[in-house]
Amino acid sequence: MTPPRGFPEAEFRDRTDRAQALMAKAGLSALLLTTEPEVRYYTGFLTRFWESPTRPWFVVIPASGAPIAVIPSIGAHLMGQTWLDDIRTWQAPDYDDDGIGLLAETLQEVTPPDARIGVADQMESHLRMPLADFQTLKQSLGARRITGDATITRRLRMVKSRAELAKITCAAQIADRAFDRVAEIARVGIPLARVFRDFQRLCLEGGADWVPYLAGASEAGGYGDVISPATEAPLAAGDVLMLDTGLVWDGYFCDFDRNFSLGAPSAAVTEGHGRLIEATQAGFQAAKPGARICELFHAMTDIVNPGGAGSDAGRLGHGVGMQLTEWPSIIAADKTVLAEGMVLTLEPGVTLPDGKIMVHEENIVIEAQGARFLSSPQDREIRVI
Amino acid sequence: MTPPRGFPEAEFRDRTDRAQALMAKAGLSALLLTTEPEVRYYTGFLTRFWESPTRPWFVVIPASGAPIAVIPSIGAHLMGQTWLDDIRTWQAPDYDDDGIGLLAETLQEVTPPDARIGVADQMESHLRMPLADFQTLKQSLGARRITGDATITRRLRMVKSRAELAKITCAAQIADRAFDRVAEIARVGIPLARVFRDFQRLCLEGGADWVPYLAGASEAGGYGDVISPATEAPLAAGDVLMLDTGLVWDGYFCDFDRNFSLGAPSAAVTEGHGRLIEATQAGFQAAKPGARICELFHAMTDIVNPGGAGSDAGRLGHGVGMQLTEWPSIIAADKTVLAEGMVLTLEPGVTLPDGKIMVHEENIVIEAQGARFLSSPQDREIRVI
């Protein structure tokens, strides 16, 4: 069943309230947001226009009250449909002052003269504005200081609301259906590039709003990496075809892959796939509220990489939601305590005897009693086309 | 005809040589690249994996010789297929040092102790790495100083090679064919969200690798903005349906839109569309080598916004290529001199008497004798469904 689009205003108020409580603890008088997921998380501003690098977009979360948008006028009409009332605009691009004067004024208006203003500065973040403009902004702020955001937005986003979970679930179900139809589009002799195009078509036919991410490969007995675009090389008997998609429904991603053997799989592929599923199940069993992310890592790596020194992938899964990949990473160093509402991918990889790799991925949500699959968990046996 | 994928190695060498000549003039000992188009421009590293914000990617252009990649090990296999030989990796994500130590070592190795190292810092750029890591990097570099990149990469990218032009042309032809099929998918009563999904499907069927950008609207007698995602509202008689797509073929975008009237258009819509086409043609006529971008702006704005104070869109077109929108912007302040090989969109907008807007967009390339359309230029009369 397709959930409703958007969120009730109460959800945005709640996110903002929780951020403001954490800001008070961290001694921050405001947050300055510059990236798509940050802006959307607090405002609901949903557009693919971020694909254009031309215009910066700013949202200020003051110590109390609703967020303030400081944005190019081209976005005023759409931002006007969100819960925000205070929308300040300039005609961008402006080669003399591309919003920095207006942003500085706004920050000065809503913060005390000795304010600390937080921007995301830790892993998985970046500042989406020109560096030279950031220098100008800092100079305009006088005694006010721009500092880290104490990972406030990252921490809030890690736990999904029911409405967010419904959207991710919808995305995962669309991907499940598309994977179930792969035999319609993939056969020996068809170029991989065509399979990629057709798989995206299946996702759209199944209800995806768009398909921001698709990677994969089709090579004899495994593949070399999991991030490659398609080539024109035709599928061949004995190939392992892997498709990994991050499709979006109403701004929320799923992220999982499926492996297919073109014809009967080799013993190495059969064994490898079995080990991937076993590792995924071990990660799933370990994923309970109160457990730590590193425990999921160890449960899986003991199976796919026993005694090993880690893999090129660098991790065995991650958060997923408004972005294809989100905090945390399933690595030995991650001590995050699992809590109800977290959505994760479990993504073990194996290296086969000949050096080829295989990767499997599922999506789960953490509930009171343990994990629940959002994608349809796969059998030990690799799918055969 | 579909051009070959990729580029000959000579093209990357040439781009690098030209960057290094400009670096010498600007007193830069190295460029540090952190974003997808920058990295791809010099290396050919093409992947949709940039959708994941987790991992930073670095490429260093030294004063001479080939670029050096400093990247997460998950990308080593794919980067190994480019012309680069020097590929340095770490297992990312690493919570203690996510590549900064390796990057600092590399920069120290290839630059003198008093080096100035350029990063993109002007409009349309951002630094794709965590701010805290950037601070650490700067501190690790001692007397070496990170400074602006003198817009070297932006300037080089503005003029397209023949191979780049072939890819953009291919993308534009795919979009043209998809727009010609809109009557198959758009009718009164069909929800706009379904039209969006089906239009992306048409683009894929026509050969698009993917469809990173689609925006549009369908409203009575015009629309409110040009950046909105689809709603579930059904198309109605009297609507103007606008679809604006940036689809990609082998890493290169086209970017143009089409307007459709559902049933006979009103007099205001007819007049507005005619004015848009007239303005586009005026921009096209003005687009010759040696002319300045501001002349294109004035040629178009005199028709769509005579005596006006500018529009919410903020510009009347822009560059297009590896990104949906690129330098320059067609605004009064832009003095860029047109040169052969530049690819631009002409994108005038009108405000109708009732406050609704309409926008039209075409793609052109600058050649020796003047501009040539890459998209099929539209008639004065709006298309009717």
Side-chain angles (χ1 to χ4, degrees):
Chain A
M1 216 192 61
T2 305
R5 287 190 184 267
F7 292 98
E9 186 175 314
E11 179 136 357
F12 297 115
R13 288 195 185 278
D14 180 55
R15 295 175 185 178
T16 304
D17 287 348
R18 284 183 293 139
Q20 287 165 337
L22 294 171
M23 286 160 59
K25 271 194 202 171
L28 295 172
S29 302
L31 289 182
L32 168 60
L33 317 174
T34 67
T35 66
E36 192 275 340
E38 293 173 287
V39 167
R40 176 156 56 99
Y41 185 71
Y42 294 107
T43 65
F45 185 69
L46 176 62
T47 168
R48 288 166 70 165
F49 196 61
W50 294 85
E51 187 67 38
S52 165
T54 300
R55 296 176 185 83
W57 302 79
F58 306 114
V59 165
V60 175
I61 312 266
S64 65
I68 301 163
V70 181
I71 60 170
S73 50
I74 196 171
H77 180 263
L78 185 60
M79 189 65 87
Q81 296 167 51
T82 71
W83 71 293
L84 270 56
D85 292 320
D86 192 345
I87 299 168
R88 306 172 186 200
T89 67
W90 80 100
Q91 274 188 19
D94 182 327
Y95 289 179
D96 293 323
D97 174 2
D98 210 27
I100 300 305
L102 189 61
L103 176 60
E105 262 175 44
T106 304
L107 287 168
Q108 281 157 349
E109 181 187 318
V110 302
T111 64
D114 61 344
R116 291 173 63 237
I117 297 162
V119 299
D121 70 338
Q122 296 299 305
M123 288 179 76
E124 304 201 348
S125 77
H126 68 268
L127 186 75
R128 191 185 179 279
M129 64 186 288
L131 266 189
D133 281 357
F134 186 53
Q135 290 307 325
T136 305
L137 177 66
K138 285 195 286 192
Q139 284 157 14
S140 315
L141 290 176
R144 292 172 178 84
R145 206 154 54 82
I146 295 190
T147 178
D149 73 345
T151 68
I152 286 171
T153 305
R154 181 170 93 185
R155 283 186 280 154
L156 289 179
R157 285 177 49 201
M158 204 157 45
V159 175
K160 274 66 180 177
S161 70
R162 280 168 184 277
E164 288 184 291
L165 182 60
K167 295 177 201 296
I168 300 168
T169 302
C170 180
Q173 290 171 345
I174 292 167
D176 260 332
R177 288 195 296 270
F179 282 124
D180 285 346
R181 294 181 61 189
V182 165
E184 297 175 24
I185 61 165
R187 278 182 308 280
V188 169
I190 295 182
L192 184 61
R194 181 163 150 205
V195 174
F196 268 49
R197 285 196 296 272
D198 283 344
F199 183 76
Q200 295 173 87
R201 178 175 57 75
L202 295 183
C203 294
L204 292 162
E205 284 179 10
D209 289 336
W210 60 306
V211 189
Y213 187 69
L214 179 62
S218 188
E219 291 177 33
Y223 26 88
D225 71 57
V226 293
I227 68 168
S228 284
T231 67
E232 298 290 348
L235 273 52
D239 275 7
V240 177
L241 166 66
M242 185 278 288
L243 295 170
D244 183 359
T245 194
L247 65 78
V248 161
W249 191 83
D250 201 29
Y252 281 77
F253 281 84
C254 64
D255 175 21
F256 57 98
D257 79 351
R258 292 295 178 252
N259 290 278
F260 304 85
S261 178
L262 286 143
S266 68
V269 167
T270 300
E271 193 276 336
H273 194 266
R275 208 140 42 93
L276 290 175
I277 301 302
E278 198 182 319
T280 306
Q281 290 292 346
F284 178 82
Q285 294 302 331
K288 293 179 193 312
R292 288 178 187 273
I293 286 287
C294 51
E295 297 173 46
L296 274 65
F297 175 81
H298 290 298
M300 290 190 280
T301 204
D302 286 352
I303 295 169
V304 287
N305 192 25
S311 70
D312 279 349
R315 61 180 179 180
L316 300 181
H318 51 80
V320 60
M322 300 177 69
Q323 287 176 287
L324 176 70
T325 77
E326 297 188 349
W327 204 262
S329 288
I330 302 183
I331 60 177
D334 195 294
K335 312 297 186 210
T336 306
V337 176
L338 294 188
E340 277 184 72
M342 288 185 184
V343 175
L344 298 170
T345 78
L346 302 175
E347 188 176 14
V350 286
T351 302
L352 304 182
D354 63 355
K356 293 283 180 75
I357 66 168
M358 286 178 65
V359 173
H360 178 70
E361 191 170 21
E362 302 280 7
N363 293 169
I364 65 172
V365 58
I366 309 302
E367 298 189 327
Q369 304 304 317
R372 179 166 61 82
F373 280 107
L374 300 178
S375 48
S376 294
Q378 297 299 286
D379 294 337
R380 282 189 67 86
E381 288 71 37
I382 188 171
R383 297 188 191 199
V384 177
I385 294 179
Chain B
M1 217 192 59
T2 305
R5 286 191 184 266
F7 293 98
E9 186 176 313
E11 177 136 357
F12 297 115
R13 287 195 187 278
D14 180 55
R15 294 175 185 178
T16 304
D17 288 348
R18 284 183 292 140
Q20 286 165 337
L22 293 171
M23 285 160 58
K25 270 194 203 171
L28 296 172
S29 302
L31 289 183
L32 169 60
L33 317 174
T34 67
T35 66
E36 193 275 340
E38 292 174 289
V39 167
R40 176 157 55 99
Y41 184 70
Y42 294 107
T43 66
F45 185 69
L46 176 63
T47 169
R48 287 165 69 165
F49 196 60
W50 294 86
E51 187 67 38
S52 165
T54 299
R55 297 176 185 84
W57 302 80
F58 306 113
V59 165
V60 175
I61 311 268
S64 64
I68 301 164
V70 181
I71 60 170
S73 50
I74 196 170
H77 180 264
L78 185 61
M79 189 65 85
Q81 297 167 51
T82 71
W83 72 293
L84 270 58
D85 292 320
D86 192 345
I87 299 167
R88 307 173 185 199
T89 66
W90 80 100
Q91 274 188 20
D94 182 327
Y95 289 180
D96 294 322
D97 174 3
D98 210 26
I100 300 306
L102 189 61
L103 176 60
E105 262 174 44
T106 303
L107 288 168
Q108 281 157 349
E109 183 188 316
V110 303
T111 63
D114 62 343
R116 292 173 62 237
I117 297 162
V119 299
D121 71 338
Q122 296 299 305
M123 288 179 78
E124 304 201 349
S125 77
H126 69 269
L127 186 75
R128 190 184 179 279
M129 64 186 288
L131 265 190
D133 281 358
F134 186 54
Q135 290 306 325
T136 304
L137 176 67
K138 286 195 285 191
Q139 284 157 13
S140 316
L141 290 176
R144 291 173 178 84
R145 206 154 53 82
I146 295 189
T147 177
D149 73 345
T151 67
I152 287 173
T153 305
R154 182 171 92 186
R155 283 185 281 153
L156 290 179
R157 284 176 51 201
M158 204 158 44
V159 175
K160 273 66 179 178
S161 70
R162 278 168 185 276
E164 288 184 292
L165 181 61
K167 295 176 200 297
I168 300 168
T169 301
C170 180
Q173 290 171 346
I174 293 167
D176 260 332
R177 288 195 295 269
F179 281 124
D180 284 346
R181 294 180 61 189
V182 165
E184 297 175 25
I185 60 166
R187 280 184 304 281
V188 168
I190 296 182
L192 184 60
R194 183 165 149 204
V195 173
F196 268 49
R197 285 195 297 273
D198 283 343
F199 183 76
Q200 295 173 87
R201 178 175 58 73
L202 295 182
C203 294
L204 292 162
E205 285 179 9
D209 290 337
W210 59 306
V211 188
Y213 187 68
L214 179 62
S218 189
E219 291 176 35
Y223 27 88
D225 70 59
V226 293
I227 67 169
S228 283
T231 67
E232 299 290 349
L235 273 53
D239 275 5
V240 176
L241 166 66
M242 184 278 288
L243 295 171
D244 183 359
T245 192
L247 65 78
V248 161
W249 192 83
D250 201 29
Y252 282 76
F253 281 85
C254 64
D255 175 22
F256 58 97
D257 77 351
R258 293 294 177 254
N259 290 277
F260 303 85
S261 178
L262 287 143
S266 68
V269 166
T270 299
E271 192 277 335
H273 194 267
R275 207 139 43 95
L276 290 174
I277 301 302
E278 196 182 322
T280 306
Q281 290 291 346
F284 178 81
Q285 293 302 331
K288 292 179 193 312
R292 289 178 185 274
I293 286 288
C294 51
E295 298 172 46
L296 274 66
F297 175 81
H298 290 299
M300 290 190 280
T301 204
D302 285 352
I303 295 169
V304 288
N305 194 25
S311 70
D312 279 349
R315 61 180 178 179
L316 300 183
H318 52 79
V320 59
M322 300 176 70
Q323 286 178 288
L324 176 71
T325 76
E326 298 188 349
W327 204 261
S329 287
I330 301 181
I331 60 178
D334 194 293
K335 311 296 184 211
T336 305
V337 176
L338 293 189
E340 277 183 72
M342 288 186 184
V343 176
L344 298 170
T345 79
L346 302 175
E347 188 175 13
V350 285
T351 301
L352 304 181
D354 63 355
K356 292 283 180 77
I357 66 167
M358 286 177 67
V359 173
H360 178 69
E361 190 171 21
E362 302 282 5
N363 293 170
I364 64 171
V365 57
I366 308 302
E367 297 188 329
Q369 303 306 316
R372 180 166 61 81
F373 280 106
L374 299 178
S375 49
S376 295
Q378 297 299 287
D379 295 336
R380 282 189 66 87
E381 289 70 38
I382 188 170
R383 297 187 191 200
V384 176
I385 294 180

